[in-house]
Amino acid sequence: MKFGKYLDENKRTVWATQYVDYKALKDLIKDAAATAEVSDWDSSRVTSLSVARIGQRDQSEEKFFRRLEQEVAKVGQFTQQQVASLKGRLEKLSSRAHSSKDLSSARREELLEEAKQIGDEFLQLEKYVNLNYMACHKILKKHDKLLPKTPCRQFYISHLHQQPWIQGNFSDMMVILSGVFSELRGDTLAEAQAASAQAFNRSTTKYWVRTADVSAVKRIIIENMPVFVFNAENYSGDAQLVNSVYFDNDSLELYHGRLDKKPGALAVRVRWYGPSDPQLCFIERKTHRESWKGEKSVKERFTLPEHKVVPYLEGDYTAEQFEADLRARGKGAEDVAKASKLFREIQTAIDSKQLKPFVRTQYMRSAFQMGHDRSVSFTLDTNLVMLKENPEGHPSCAISGRWYRDPALPITRTEITRFPHAVLEIKLALPEGESPPEWVADLMDSGLITEVHKMSKFIHGTAALFPEMVRAVPYWMDDESIRDSILACAPDPHQIDARARDAGVVQGDKPRKRGQAPDDAESLQHPLLGEAPTLQLMDGSGEGAARPLRRVGAPAAGGGWLAWLGLRPRGVATAIPMRLEPKTFLASERTFLSWMHMAITLASIATALLAFAGASKQRLDPLHRVGGNLVLFVAFILLPLAIFIVAYAAVVFTWRSRQIALKQASYIDDRRGPYLLVVLVVLALSAIFVASSVDLITTWRESKEPGFRVPILTAAQKSLFDSLGDQLGPQA
């Protein structure tokens, strides 16, 4: 086993003895399998109260389960000990950090290093838990493979998930650690507000984060920015539960508008915060604007008490009543007018478009920002799920007089999809021309996060849960890493019609437990999943280290000349499909025409030189024969070069057009082709220079030899020169 660099030799020795003894468990399974092969008969289905059973097979398996339970208990006990130790050290460090103003800079640096070490050990502990969890999964899978008559994997995994070392939530440690870093940095609200006043150019970028990397990303962020605690009274951790109910109609008008990024495309949702039933609701509207036109998308919202949401949606709660309520709460005239305008517009859109509750997103949100300064801020959404707001086989929300799903109703597997990654949003509001902080740039390039341009929870949930209704899907649905989560909520292929689905039936009339994901990806076919996924998050290997994002179907290193030219990605994928404007296609055409112009110019020069060389060869004097050979050589250098440029430009233009059509914007950059063409042109010109120099030296040497004759003009040339002399006059 490999351990973190912050663990000393003594700790490494202790940790090495606390891992699940996979080899011992494997040997016990082999013994049980061998015992099962010796038995030629099986009396497990009948018994007699007067006949003693041998029970060798049961004893072998019993040893295995006893040992497995001992290993699980050992891991749990060790994990709790380490957590208690880290919490104690963290509390002591926190008390010392509160007096950081009186500390010297050297002492403050020592405390910072200690805080970083605690953070590293916490990440190492998380890795330890993940490795043991993976070992338990693998040993149970091997048990079911070698002993198929007594499968136990599914049952024991459910038991395993109830263990405290797996279910434990230690995010409160992140809050304490964040406060320690903030104290030692000396963060002040005044500085934050000053920085916020200067920021005016805001951009938001979304990333996927593997679950195994969430703590590492949090650790990087809190070293430089404190956790923004939503509600310290109800939450001891760093995250708050967020529910958002998105509205749409039966034709999915809002979904397709947001997917196609149509100008003015709307998203209407009702959001509330906290684990309890909604009390205060936020009615929100997001409007898409074309960024390439210099416009910015807008998000607007106002608040309503929960009991007034249904009357508002049905039109019974009017704008006049809303304005009266705002005035009663002491709102100014300007605020009342602005909120009332938004109130009317959203209510009109709901009525005219026949919008109704459609999809809900639910997640735990952690926020990171410097006080009220939003020049640099982060949100991290974990435990992300999307579910249908209208339950299958039950009255819809509209019929029930509700605006969100009845929590008492069961949720079938086709009504919910669990997103396997966390979603990180990096929001930058910096003065124009200013780069993000260095640590933010390092996080973007760390490999821990993967950019997914314009990723939308609403779009993903709708596409995954309503495959029979959508006409198009977002590009990230082809990602291999989310395929299992989509298959888990896929309807049965024989009952693709939503009205005829049975939540507990799968292919081949084989019963399946609710919420159970298929072991084989081919057991269910989801209509949204293509045959060739574009991206894949590779499984961990060895010590559970996550591999970088890799593009499926990309050639191996050195595979093909297109890969060598950089026209096919290899290794870590950085392709981020995004929306492209018509000017992108026109720019590609202009680039192609520029290459063609250069090639035609070279070809024209080469053709003219060939014609000149043919005329020079007809002359009998040595000077013209030597010059004609040189011209012919130059022409044969330039003409193939022009042909190669034409062919290369055509191939690159075709490839680039295909990538633009697929919205693979990051792969339209030709990184090696221009350098290759420059090298070929330089080599051609160098060859021409060398040949011209040799020809000049040869001609000069021949002129020194005896018998060298100056070329004699032909009669036609002499007549031409005489006529020119007559026209120019005596001065010529």
Side-chain angles (χ1 to χ4, degrees), residues 178-193:
S178 171
V180 170
F181 278 117
S182 181
E183 291 280 356
L184 295 176
R185 284 194 306 265
D187 298 338
T188 58
L189 184 59
E191 294 177 358
Q193 290 176 337

Side-chain angles (χ1 to χ4, degrees), residues 238-249:
D238 61 351
Q240 179 178 212
L241 183 65
V242 180
N243 285 272
S244 299
V245 176
Y246 287 87
F247 287 68
D248 211 335
N249 51 32

Side-chain angles (χ1 to χ4, degrees), residues 155-333:
F155 165 77
Y156 201 88
I157 286 178
S158 300
H159 167 67
L160 195 64
H161 286 174
Q162 304 303 319
Q163 299 299 313
W165 59 278
I166 293 178
Q167 276 199 341
N169 178 15
F170 307 114
S171 59
D172 57 331
M173 295 180 61
M174 285 293 179
V175 177
I176 300 174
L177 190 60
S178 171
V180 170
F181 278 117
S182 181
E183 291 280 356
L184 295 176
R185 284 194 306 265
D187 298 338
T188 58
L189 184 59
E191 294 177 358
Q193 290 176 337
S196 179
Q198 297 175 356
F200 54 87
N201 186 18
R202 184 177 180 84
S203 63
T204 301
T205 311
K206 294 185 178 181
Y207 299 84
W208 286 358
V209 185
R210 302 176 186 87
T211 302
D213 295 332
V214 167
S215 294
V217 171
K218 284 185 179 180
R219 153 68 198 288
I220 293 174
I221 297 175
I222 64 177
E223 275 192 30
N224 302 275
M225 181 167 293
V227 174
F228 185 83
V229 180
F230 296 95
N231 190 343
E233 296 180 358
N234 298 329
Y235 290 92
S236 59
D238 61 351
Q240 179 178 212
L241 183 65
V242 180
N243 285 272
S244 299
V245 176
Y246 287 87
F247 287 68
D248 211 335
N249 51 32
D250 292 331
S251 62
L252 300 184
E253 178 183 350
L254 269 58
Y255 164 83
H256 290 105
R258 300 291 295 184
L259 179 64
D260 297 336
K261 295 293 185 292
K262 295 179 180 178
L266 299 179
V268 177
R269 69 188 180 197
V270 180
R271 171 174 288 185
W272 78 93
Y273 300 89
S276 59
D277 292 336
Q279 303 296 326
L280 182 65
C281 301
F282 295 85
I283 315 297
E284 300 183 353
R285 180 185 67 181
K286 299 175 71 174
T287 307
H288 174 72
R289 299 282 185 248
E290 298 288 354
S291 58
W292 65 279
K293 293 182 179 180
E295 302 174 344
K296 293 184 179 180
S297 298
V298 181
K299 183 175 76 172
E300 304 164 288
R301 69 180 186 177
F302 62 90
T303 59
L304 279 181
E306 190 278 332
H307 65 276
K308 293 185 178 179
V309 174
V310 171
Y312 170 69
L313 298 177
E314 295 178 351
D316 297 333
Y317 184 58
T318 63
E320 290 74 15
Q321 295 172 320
F322 177 65
E323 292 175 2
D325 291 341
L326 290 180
R327 293 191 188 96
R329 289 160 50 189
K331 297 293 183 180

Side-chain angles (χ1 to χ4, degrees), residues 492-495 502 504-512 523-524:
D492 178 48
H494 303 296
Q495 299 175 341
D502 184 355
V505 178
V506 296
Q507 208 169 14
D509 296 329
K510 181 179 178 181
R512 174 167 155 191
S523 62
L524 286 176

Side-chain angles (χ1 to χ4, degrees), residues 258-542:
R258 300 291 295 184
L259 179 64
D260 297 336
K261 295 293 185 292
K262 295 179 180 178
L266 299 179
V268 177
R269 69 188 180 197
V270 180
R271 171 174 288 185
W272 78 93
Y273 300 89
S276 59
D277 292 336
Q279 303 296 326
L280 182 65
C281 301
F282 295 85
I283 315 297
E284 300 183 353
R285 180 185 67 181
K286 299 175 71 174
T287 307
H288 174 72
R289 299 282 185 248
E290 298 288 354
S291 58
W292 65 279
K293 293 182 179 180
E295 302 174 344
K296 293 184 179 180
S297 298
V298 181
K299 183 175 76 172
E300 304 164 288
R301 69 180 186 177
F302 62 90
T303 59
L304 279 181
E306 190 278 332
H307 65 276
K308 293 185 178 179
V309 174
V310 171
Y312 170 69
L313 298 177
E314 295 178 351
D316 297 333
Y317 184 58
T318 63
E320 290 74 15
Q321 295 172 320
F322 177 65
E323 292 175 2
D325 291 341
L326 290 180
R327 293 191 188 96
R329 289 160 50 189
K331 297 293 183 180
E334 184 177 352
D335 293 337
V336 170
K338 184 178 180 181
S340 178
K341 181 176 181 295
L342 181 61
F343 180 100
R344 296 173 189 271
E345 291 175 354
I346 296 179
Q347 194 174 53
T348 301
I350 292 174
D351 180 59
S352 62
K353 298 179 181 294
Q354 294 297 296
L355 303 181
K356 59 184 179 181
F358 219 79
V359 174
R360 186 195 305 188
T361 63
Q362 186 181 83
Y363 47 87
M364 297 296 293
R365 167 160 288 188
S366 302
F368 307 87
Q369 69 182 50
M370 194 74 70
H372 297 291
D373 174 26
R374 294 194 176 184
S375 58
V376 179
S377 60
F378 298 80
T379 58
L380 182 63
D381 300 334
T382 56
N383 299 324
L384 174 59
V385 298
M386 298 89 166
L387 66 150
K388 294 181 179 180
E389 207 58 47
N390 296 292
E392 298 174 358
H394 296 274
S396 65
C397 290
I399 296 176
S400 303
R402 304 180 59 89
W403 63 270
Y404 68 99
R405 183 188 181 106
D406 186 353
L409 295 177
I411 301 176
T412 60
R413 69 168 186 87
T414 55
E415 294 179 327
I416 185 171
T417 178
R418 293 174 172 84
F419 196 70
H421 309 305
V423 178
L424 174 70
E425 291 187 45
I426 299 181
K427 304 174 183 179
L428 302 175
L430 303 171
E432 189 171 357
E434 182 176 328
S435 302
E438 183 178 356
W439 70 271
V440 177
D442 291 341
L443 175 61
M444 294 177 180
D445 298 334
S446 64
L448 297 173
I449 61 179
T450 303
E451 184 179 355
V452 185
H453 186 74
K454 297 296 184 182
M455 191 269 178
S456 168
K457 304 178 186 72
F458 163 58
I459 291 177
H460 179 87
T462 304
L465 296 173
F466 298 93
E468 72 285 347
M469 297 178 63
V470 299
R471 299 191 301 269
V473 298
Y475 66 87
W476 63 80
M477 297 297 288
D478 281 341
D479 193 298
E480 185 68 18
S481 66
I482 63 175
R483 177 176 289 259
D484 288 344
S485 67
I486 298 175
L487 289 173
C489 69
D492 178 48
H494 303 296
Q495 299 175 341
I496 191 65
D497 189 348
R499 294 168 295 182
R501 293 185 204 171
D502 184 355
V505 178
V506 296
Q507 208 169 14
D509 296 329
K510 181 179 178 181
R512 174 167 155 191
K513 295 182 180 180
R514 182 181 302 167
Q516 175 183 350
D519 292 332
D520 185 0
E522 298 300 324
S523 62
L524 286 176
Q525 297 296 327
H526 196 284
L528 305 183
L529 299 176
E531 297 180 356
T534 56
L535 297 176
Q536 181 178 10
L537 280 167
M538 305 300 289
D539 294 333
S541 63

Side-chain angles (χ1 to χ4, degrees), residues 13 114 117 132 147 225 272 315 507 567 613 630 654 687 693 710 716 731:
T13 304
E114 185 177 352
Q117 183 175 351
N132 285 283
L147 298 168
M225 181 167 293
W272 78 93
Q507 208 169 14
L567 301 186
L630 174 62
T654 304
S693 301
V710 177
Q731 295 180 354

